[in-house]
Amino acid sequence: MTTIASGTDTLTRDALAVLQPGFTGTAAPSWLLRRLGEGLTSVGLFGRNIASADQLAALTAQLRAERDDVLVAIDEEGGDVTRLEVRTGSSFPGNHALGAVDDTALTEAVAHELGRRLAACGVNLNWAPSADINSNPSNPVIGVRSFGADTALVARHTAAYVAGLQAAGVAACTKHFPGHGDTAVDSHHALPRIDADLSVLQARELAPFRAAIAAGTRAVMSAHILVPALDPAHPATLSRRVLTGLLREELGFDGLIVTDGMEMQAISATYGIERGSVLAIAAGADAICVGGGLADEATVLRLRDALVAAVRSGELPEERLADAAARVRALASWTASAGAAAPASAADESGPEVGLVAARRALTVTRGPHHAPLTGAPYVAALTPVANIAVGDETPWGVGAELRRRLPGTETGSFSGEGAGAEVLAAAGSRRVVAVVRDVHRHAWMAEALDALVTARPDTIVVEMGVPQAPPRGALHIATHGAARVCGQAATEAITTL
């Protein structure tokens, strides 16, 4: 059993219990272990904390040696957003690829195998799946993280993902409530606004969350977005109308409400993380996610003290903080029992290669009139946009590495900005060009470069690894619906065999 350090009062323990902080390094720092002994109940892991599966298992064991019921959370969506395989790319395609296949049994199997791997490393809370509908194709932060633009499709795959993940003993945290898909702003940088009518929100954005709740999702993550039809004054994370009135009372969700990262500019630049955290708990949130950028003991102490001060001043009801802490501990208790009950088999019944199977099935291939089989080592040109912060720029993507393995002599290059098409042609010389793009519809320079390539070299092969919104072009056009490692592997198989 966990032993709480003597001298830590109930209010302070509750304030620590609602925090989900991060840290730096691949071993737990002494300050984190000490705070676990004082009441901290959750820890958030990021790519910087993970070097290998064995190291991660040792890290989580270190945490549990201090507190046996600790919630160890991670942002592991599979696909473009991976922490387990941040340095190699994911073994699982993301939501958009699964939505393109539209086989809920496959989605459930992928989520189960992903959950099994998380559980084997000691992780028991996953900040996934994304239930956002990609209703705005220019959305800069969701894109392939969404199952698609169709409400019913997103709802059924969200439910399947929740079921698969939780069957492996890992709690799902469905996000980003009440739906981040119809935004043109990334909440990492500023506060997005959704001006949809209430009737549209009820029929579209909220449907996947209803499905997730019906499927038993143990947690829901709030979005840092302003939705005037729901609350004209407060972003969802800080809105009692949204978190308590809508999510708790109207939709009947009784699990853990987690905030998105409080250091994101949508909150921190307007309210500050201390004030924002107090307002979030008062609005109905139960857990404060912080640590993607701020990952030190000082941040934990600042937030702990802000919550304690808010209770003592009467701004935050003590019973609200106690209720939030109780919900955190209840989820910790559930993960302990669910993990013990989950099958201990070496792999999901669909096999450890279910991710590659799904990536192959997700491919959309269009042959143009100039297509001919690839006969020699090509030149792979990655037309590279600025990285989505949620994805990060440290995770490799594309088809270059896999093509070099299959076709020795393959050369690669990365290009961006105006004039990229001419640069690619000069670098490629006489080699056949494989142009790899990501969301070409969102980047005018990328579309211009691609047009220049396919005009000058009609035999160009195009691989779209984002949302395939633009019309297919090239001698062979392959849409992978995501940039996971297995998506690149599946695309390479098609390039070398068609």
Side-chain angles (χ1 to χ4, degrees):
M1 296 294 291
T2 299
T3 301
I4 299 297
S6 61
T8 306
D9 61 69
T10 299
L11 179 56
T12 301
R13 290 200 300 271
D14 286 348
L16 282 170
V18 302
L19 303 180
Q20 291 191 347
F23 61 95
T24 58
T26 55
S30 58
W31 69 261
L32 183 68
L33 299 175
R34 184 169 61 254
R35 300 306 169 188
L36 286 171
E38 295 174 359
L40 186 69
T41 308
S42 306
V43 174
L45 300 181
F46 298 86
R48 63 179 180 241
N49 304 123
I50 301 169
S52 68
D54 288 343
Q55 168 270 323
L56 178 55
L59 169 58
T60 58
Q62 184 186 17
L63 296 172
R64 288 200 169 84
E66 189 63 44
R67 183 180 185 110
D68 54 11
D69 64 344
V70 64
L71 279 173
V72 182
I74 199 168
D75 193 7
E76 180 58 56
E77 299 176 14
D80 292 31
V81 180
T82 180
R83 308 300 180 231
L84 281 182
E85 300 177 279
V86 66
R87 293 169 182 81
T88 61
S90 181
S91 300
F92 304 93
N95 286 2
H96 207 266
L98 295 172
V101 178
D102 195 12
D103 179 345
T104 54
L106 179 65
T107 294
E108 185 171 346
V110 166
H112 188 272
E113 175 61 13
L114 178 58
R116 186 196 66 79
R117 295 190 191 186
L118 289 172
C121 294
V123 177
N124 54 12
L125 172 59
N126 191 9
W127 293 319
S130 168
D132 307 296
I133 297 168
N134 204 36
S135 45
N136 182 351
S138 295
N139 192 313
V141 67
I142 301 300
V144 293
R145 300 169 67 195
S146 167
F147 288 110
D150 179 79
T151 298
L153 179 144
V154 174
R156 62 178 173 265
H157 285 276
T158 296
Y161 196 106
V162 167
L165 189 64
Q166 294 190 164
V170 175
C173 183
T174 306
K175 61 188 183 184
H176 307 81
F177 187 82
H180 206 314
D182 194 16
T183 61
V185 173
D186 185 343
S187 52
H188 290 88
H189 300 298
L191 179 63
R193 177 185 175 113
I194 295 180
D195 285 309
D197 293 339
L198 182 59
S199 60
V200 173
L201 295 170
Q202 289 283 0
R204 188 179 63 186
E205 268 70 24
L206 297 182
F209 291 97
R210 290 194 187 94
I213 292 167
T217 187
R218 292 286 164 172
V220 168
M221 177 177 282
S222 67
H224 302 330
I225 57 175
L226 185 67
V227 188
L230 300 176
D231 186 334
H234 304 96
T237 293
L238 311 183
S239 171
R240 183 170 177 80
R241 293 187 190 181
V242 173
L243 299 188
T244 298
L246 179 57
L247 183 53
R248 284 272 186 244
E249 296 172 357
E250 183 177 333
L251 299 187
F253 178 63
D254 194 41
L256 190 76
I257 299 177
V258 183
T259 72
D260 207 345
M262 295 300 285
E263 67 268 48
M264 293 165 63
Q265 292 296 301
I267 298 296
S268 62
T270 305
Y271 299 88
I273 63 168
E274 295 97 331
R275 177 73 176 154
S277 296
V278 170
L279 292 175
I281 297 294
D286 305 306
I288 301 296
C289 177
V290 64
L294 299 172
D296 55 20
E297 184 178 20
T299 299
V300 172
L301 298 182
R302 284 163 55 198
L303 297 183
R304 179 202 65 183
D305 292 347
L307 292 167
V308 169
V311 170
R312 289 177 174 162
S313 70
E315 180 183 8
L316 175 63
E318 186 171 0
E319 58 270 22
R320 171 77 274 271
L321 180 61
D323 173 66
R327 290 180 186 276
V328 173
R329 296 177 187 123
L331 182 58
S333 177
W334 178 86
T335 58
S337 59
S345 59
D348 180 81
E349 62 181 5
S350 299
E353 295 300 310
V354 65
L356 180 57
V357 170
R360 288 168 176 156
R361 291 181 61 186
L363 294 183
T364 301
V365 178
T366 306
R367 292 178 176 84
H370 299 285
H371 176 60
L374 186 64
T375 57
Y379 187 86
V380 180
L383 303 182
T384 307
V386 174
N388 178 322
I389 288 181
V391 175
D393 58 8
E394 68 268 50
T395 303
W397 67 286
V399 299
E402 186 67 17
L403 271 172
R404 281 196 301 270
R405 189 181 70 81
R406 289 171 175 262
L407 297 173
T410 295
E411 295 184 6
T412 63
S414 179
F415 304 84
S416 63
E418 186 176 350
E423 293 175 6
V424 172
L425 291 171
S430 61
R431 292 173 179 267
R432 190 168 179 183
V433 175
V434 177
V436 188
V437 297
R438 212 168 180 174
D439 292 336
V440 68
H441 67 283
R442 294 201 302 111
H443 305 283
W445 69 266
M446 194 183 296
E448 292 170 3
L450 205 55
D451 285 340
L453 286 174
V454 299
T455 298
R457 303 283 290 273
D459 64 348
T460 296
I461 296 171
V462 178
V463 182
E464 168 63 88
M465 303 195 80
V467 177
Q469 191 74 18
R473 65 191 90 181
L476 184 69
H477 184 278
I478 301 170
T480 62
H481 304 274
R485 176 175 52 81
V486 287
C487 294
Q489 186 176 343
T492 301
E493 292 173 353
I495 291 169
T496 55
T497 58
L498 294 178

